[in-house]
Amino acid sequence: MTIIQSPSSNYSLSSSSNPSPIGFNPCTNINVSLFSPKKSCPTKLSVQSNTSYKNAVFMQDGAVVTRGNASENEARLKLKNELLSVKPPQEQKDGASFGFENYKSTVSITVVGASGDLAKKKIFPALFALYYEGWLPEHFTVVGYARSKMTDTELRTMVYKTLTCRVDQRENCAEKIDKFLERCFYHSGQYDSLENFAELDKNLKKHEAGRVSNRLFYLSIPPNIFINAVKCASLSASAANGWTRVIVEKPFGRDSESSGALTKALKQYLDEDQIFRIDHYLGKELVENLSVLRFSNLVFEPLWSRQYIRNVQFIFSEDFGTEGRGGYFDHYGIMRNIMQNHLLQIMALFAMETPVSLDAEDIRNEKVKVLRSMRPLVFDDVVIGQYKGDSRGGVSYPGYTDDKTVPKDSLTPTFAAASFFIDNSRWDGVPFLMKAGKALHTRRAEIRVQFKHVPGNIYNRDIGTDFDLTTNELVIRVQPDEGIYLKINNKVPGLGMRLDRGHLNLLYSARYSHEIPDAYERLLLDAIEGERRLFIRSDELDAAWSLFTPVLRELEEKKIKPEYYLYGSRGPKGAHDLASRFYVQWGDLREED
Ligand SMILES: NC(=O)C1=CN([C@@H]2O[C@H](COP(=O)(O)OP(=O)(O)OC[C@H]3O[C@@H](n4cnc5c(N)ncnc54)[C@H](OP(=O)(O)O)[C@@H]3O)[C@@H](O)[C@H]2O)C=CC1
Ligand SMILES: O=C1O[C@H](COP(=O)(O)O)[C@@H](O)[C@H](O)[C@H]1O
């Protein structure tokens, strides 16, 4: 039995399914019911389905209101979406009939900056994947908004070119694409025009057709126009009788001051709980799994402290440069682009205490505590690098400053390594190392946990002299080839006694047949459902900037020259020197690791 409490009303949604406590069991009947504490409201809405889900029955107070095909997940979702937005009769505009139709709500998703790179690359494909898999509410509309002139048909053609059926071997992809595109519309307007947003409002109302309207605005535009767009969306196009939420893309400023100013400006027009600051790394499957791994496995949680862990590493590398985005990148650099947000967020999740519950506020409270317990970075904790051109095997690779949008004398780091300490009782003295770089030898993102050596190890003489080789290491590979593996020492089979290092390996592609959803799918769905757990709260953001701002300022004021490294290499030597100060080796040094 699960109970979902509606954040916006006094309703709770309970669902039960027998006898499958975990996961989806296709051979069960399900009951999903809504209980309202207010007497004037219907007391029970439910769906019952037979084993094939062919003829699910949706009921209100025991009377059948509709029938239809439904899988268990779809039925749950449908009821959840439908019922959580129910308003008691006195709050309904017409105040009269209270049939099932009146509870129906709709979600309008406006992609602001629809003509841009992120919208095409990530947002439209993610929305389609959600639609394809049945996660979007029954009534939804997607509206692209930008200055470019486009018709609905032109938008659809543009979106169509970005869509693929993410889920392998699934049927009806073309049909689903057509159906999805029928829900997509375009509205041209300026980002700072209240009038243009008022026209958008009219357009949205047309599609919402009198239903309870919920509106999500995805700001996929350059940061200098965020505030204008938020102002116009909020003043001219907020939902009249449902929720209004805004997803804001990074960068959230470039230091404590600018971030604080952005937050202040956003809060002139929105409440904090309407702002969804996206960090797409929090939507990645393996990052989502971090808490599950730790808090639901007895074998890990007791080891998660200074007592057993020697150091923790957060590693991000890309095997391509800034190609095409150099202009944007040069203003921010790798520390703002990857470390201050993606890696730091993962680190906070990794190191937090057990939250009181899985509620967004409980989790974010714990993350803030970690961030506030960390020592701000100082100059000596940081190594910076910049890639230069190389040619190998007849191919030439451009240097960072060869990018036409980058100033020739740019000192912007494309690589950085840094060491952190969390001054609390759990982590006192444990180095947390981060490195992030572009144009390196490989593309990967991972968390590496290196454990302490076994004290008085009776097998020492069978191990050899390189004790680092015997370190137990837990690797959480966020991408690519998602997986979790633990390096252990093992006896080489045979009559002698020789140890080597083996991997206990949970490779996702071998274990799970489902394709892993893109991070944007999870985050968009969460925003639609009002789930804030994976979005950044303003105090988290402040704490994150406090850690980085002093050192970023010092690097820039002193015009510190980055250490150069070749395109496609493993990055500057300084990163190794930084780690060795703590008697640590980066775990990704060896190819087979
Ligand atoms: N692209 C990516 O991979 C990522 C992007 N982001 C963030 O997402 C947001 C959108 O990124 P992206 O799609 O790459 O951005 P784009 O540069 O592609 O801009 C999006 C749209 O905004 C409009 N626009 C661009 N520049 C201006 C301007 N100076 N004044 C007014 N309108 C402008 C254009 O639409 P029109 O002219 O039609 O109005 C453009 O199509 C940014 O905040 C970015 O930092 C974050 C992570 C990754
Ligand atoms: O936020 C950003 O992330 C991407 C890397 O994201 P991934 O999901 O492809 O790993 C990075 O390329 C970009 O520079 C940065 O702004």
Side-chain angles (χ1 to χ4, degrees):
M1 167 79 82
T2 54
I3 307 273
I4 302 159
Q5 185 70 44
S6 161
S8 57
S9 73
N10 289 323
Y11 295 100
S12 65
L13 178 75
S14 75
S15 80
S16 63
S17 79
N18 291 316
S20 161
I22 297 181
F24 172 43
N25 179 347
C27 300
T28 58
N29 286 342
I30 60 164
N31 275 295
V32 183
S33 309
L34 180 87
F35 298 98
S36 161
K38 298 196 182 174
K39 284 228 170 67
S40 53
C41 303
T43 50
K44 195 173 176 195
L45 288 152
S46 62
V47 59
Q48 290 181 339
S49 167
N50 59 16
T51 52
S52 68
Y53 297 103
K54 286 261 163 60
N55 287 305
V57 179
F58 296 83
M59 294 187 299
Q60 175 188 323
D61 285 332
V64 175
V65 287
T66 186
R67 291 171 192 273
N69 291 349
S71 72
E72 180 179 19
N73 286 341
E74 275 169 3
R76 282 215 175 99
L77 186 76
K78 190 167 174 171
L79 275 200
K80 190 175 150 199
N81 286 327
E82 296 289 343
L83 304 183
L84 290 185
S85 59
V86 168
K87 295 235 164 65
Q90 58 270 33
E91 290 175 28
Q92 298 271 328
K93 281 225 164 103
D94 56 15
S97 70
F98 202 61
F100 196 69
E101 279 301 312
N102 296 57
Y103 308 139
K104 291 202 168 165
S105 61
T106 177
V107 175
S108 301
I109 303 155
T110 304
V111 182
V112 182
S115 54
D117 180 59
L118 185 71
K120 286 187 245 181
K121 211 167 60 186
K122 292 290 184 185
I123 305 172
F124 290 118
L127 287 170
F128 171 64
L130 289 174
Y131 172 73
Y132 184 89
E133 303 237 39
W135 286 106
L136 290 184
E138 189 180 339
H139 298 284
F140 76 92
T141 306
V142 175
V143 176
Y145 185 99
R147 296 172 308 178
S148 305
K149 300 280 175 234
M150 249 190 273
T151 60
D152 290 344
T153 311
E154 283 164 339
L155 174 91
R156 288 171 188 161
T157 308
M158 184 194 91
V159 172
Y160 176 76
K161 288 188 192 147
T162 73
L163 300 186
T164 50
C165 256
R166 181 176 61 69
V167 189
D168 281 345
Q169 315 298 327
R170 290 282 195 95
E171 290 164 4
N172 307 330
C173 189
E175 195 184 303
K176 292 251 185 178
I177 287 180
D178 287 346
K179 289 219 150 60
F180 175 75
L181 292 176
E182 279 169 20
R183 311 276 193 103
C184 295
F185 303 88
Y186 185 72
H187 192 98
S188 168
Q190 301 293 322
Y191 301 107
D192 57 356
S193 164
L194 288 169
E195 269 175 25
N196 291 171
F197 273 84
E199 289 152 13
L200 170 71
D201 180 63
K202 271 195 206 146
N203 199 347
L204 294 178
K205 281 198 175 111
K206 209 170 64 196
H207 299 297
E208 289 161 353
R211 299 185 184 95
V212 173
S213 69
N214 297 307
R215 294 187 179 173
L216 178 66
F217 292 88
Y218 196 129
L219 295 195
S220 183
I221 44 178
N224 57 320
I225 46 178
F226 280 173
I227 304 298
N228 279 334
V230 164
K231 175 182 166 189
C232 296
S234 155
L235 298 181
S236 294
S238 280
N241 54 5
W243 50 254
T244 300
R245 297 178 187 141
V246 179
I247 298 182
V248 187
E249 263 293 349
K250 73 175 189 102
F252 314 119
R254 62 187 305 283
D255 53 21
S256 291
E257 284 72 34
S258 51
S259 167
L262 176 66
T263 300
K264 197 168 159 206
L266 288 175
K267 287 189 180 177
Q268 273 182 271
Y269 305 107
L270 300 168
D271 294 333
E272 175 66 21
D273 69 2
Q274 293 180 282
I275 305 171
F276 287 67
R277 294 179 193 83
I278 202 166
D279 181 317
H280 77 281
Y281 265 65
L282 291 182
K284 296 205 181 242
E285 187 63 42
L286 271 281
V287 176
E288 230 328 40
N289 190 46
L290 201 49
S291 300
V292 178
L293 185 72
R294 176 179 166 197
F295 295 124
S296 76
N297 289 296
L298 187 67
V299 291
F300 291 123
E301 173 49 22
L303 303 181
W304 224 256
S305 75
R306 65 192 298 278
Q307 214 180 338
Y308 298 107
I309 291 180
R310 200 149 60 99
N311 69 82
V312 189
Q313 304 174 10
F314 302 89
I315 299 174
F316 168 96
S317 65
E318 277 180 342
D319 55 2
F320 49 90
T322 56
E323 289 95 313
R325 287 188 81 205
Y328 158 84
F329 185 88
D330 201 62
H331 192 50
Y332 292 93
I334 198 81
M335 289 174 72
R336 293 183 178 93
N337 194 36
I338 302 293
M339 280 186 164
Q340 181 272 349
N341 37 56
H342 305 328
L343 296 189
L344 190 64
Q345 281 296 322
I346 299 177
M347 179 171 161
L349 267 180
F350 177 93
M352 70 183 182
E353 296 300 312
T354 315
V356 175
S357 76
L358 291 175
D359 185 82
E361 299 322 318
D362 289 332
I363 293 176
R364 299 192 295 185
N365 288 344
E366 294 308 328
K367 282 167 63 197
V368 174
K369 283 190 212 159
V370 173
L371 296 172
R372 293 184 52 207
S373 304
M374 286 169 68
R375 281 181 224 165
L377 273 182
V378 295
F379 189 70
D380 279 349
D381 301 333
V382 176
V383 169
I384 56 170
Q386 191 187 88
Y387 65 90
K388 57 181 188 179
D390 192 20
S391 52
R392 291 183 305 276
V395 183
S396 59
Y397 299 90
Y400 175 63
T401 53
D402 295 331
D403 185 329
K404 288 198 171 41
T405 58
V406 171
K408 284 279 165 256
D409 57 352
S410 171
L411 298 177
T412 299
T414 58
F415 175 98
S419 57
F420 295 86
F421 286 90
I422 305 175
D423 290 331
N424 65 17
S425 60
R426 182 182 289 273
W427 296 115
D428 191 12
V430 178
F432 283 78
L433 302 177
M434 270 184 200
K435 65 174 175 171
K438 290 194 175 273
L440 293 171
H441 73 297
T442 188
R443 173 176 174 261
R444 80 168 58 162
E446 59 192 16
I447 307 163
R448 288 177 173 261
V449 188
Q450 296 189 341
F451 291 91
K452 292 189 171 174
H453 298 306
V454 175
N457 191 342
I458 55 171
Y459 287 104
N460 270 354
R461 69 192 178 92
D462 305 299
I463 285 168
T465 50
D466 186 352
F467 283 105
D468 273 326
L469 274 178
T470 71
T471 299
N472 289 134
E473 190 172 21
L474 176 68
V475 182
I476 299 164
R477 197 167 45 221
V478 176
Q479 66 187 33
D481 304 326
E482 290 82 349
I484 301 169
Y485 56 96
L486 179 64
K487 295 182 191 171
I488 58 159
N489 298 304
N490 202 46
K491 178 179 171 298
V492 178
L495 297 180
M497 175 54 75
R498 199 161 59 81
L499 304 194
D500 82 350
R501 198 146 79 144
H503 287 185
L504 299 180
N505 197 354
L506 174 61
L507 182 63
Y508 273 42
S509 60
R511 173 71 182 87
Y512 302 107
S513 55
H514 323 285
E515 199 176 321
I516 295 175
D518 187 81
Y520 282 85
E521 290 170 40
R522 189 187 312 280
L523 294 169
L524 271 160
L525 183 62
D526 279 357
I528 291 169
E529 296 196 333
E531 170 58 80
R532 292 171 180 79
R533 196 163 40 95
L534 301 178
F535 293 89
I536 321 270
R537 209 168 61 185
S538 66
D539 53 346
E540 283 184 83
L541 187 60
D542 293 347
W545 276 121
S546 302
L547 292 170
F548 278 82
T549 296
V551 80
L552 286 167
R553 194 160 290 160
E554 190 172 347
L555 288 167
E556 281 157 11
E557 280 170 6
K558 291 188 174 160
K559 297 193 186 320
I560 300 298
K561 234 177 138 179
E563 197 180 323
Y564 293 100
Y565 61 97
L566 289 180
Y567 193 119
S569 69
R570 286 172 181 266
K573 178 178 164 296
H576 305 292
D577 300 338
L578 178 79
S580 60
R581 261 196 256 154
F582 307 102
Y583 309 101
V584 170
Q585 271 189 18
W586 291 102
D588 63 338
L589 279 187
R590 282 176 282 260
E591 208 52 69
E592 75 277 12
D593 284 347

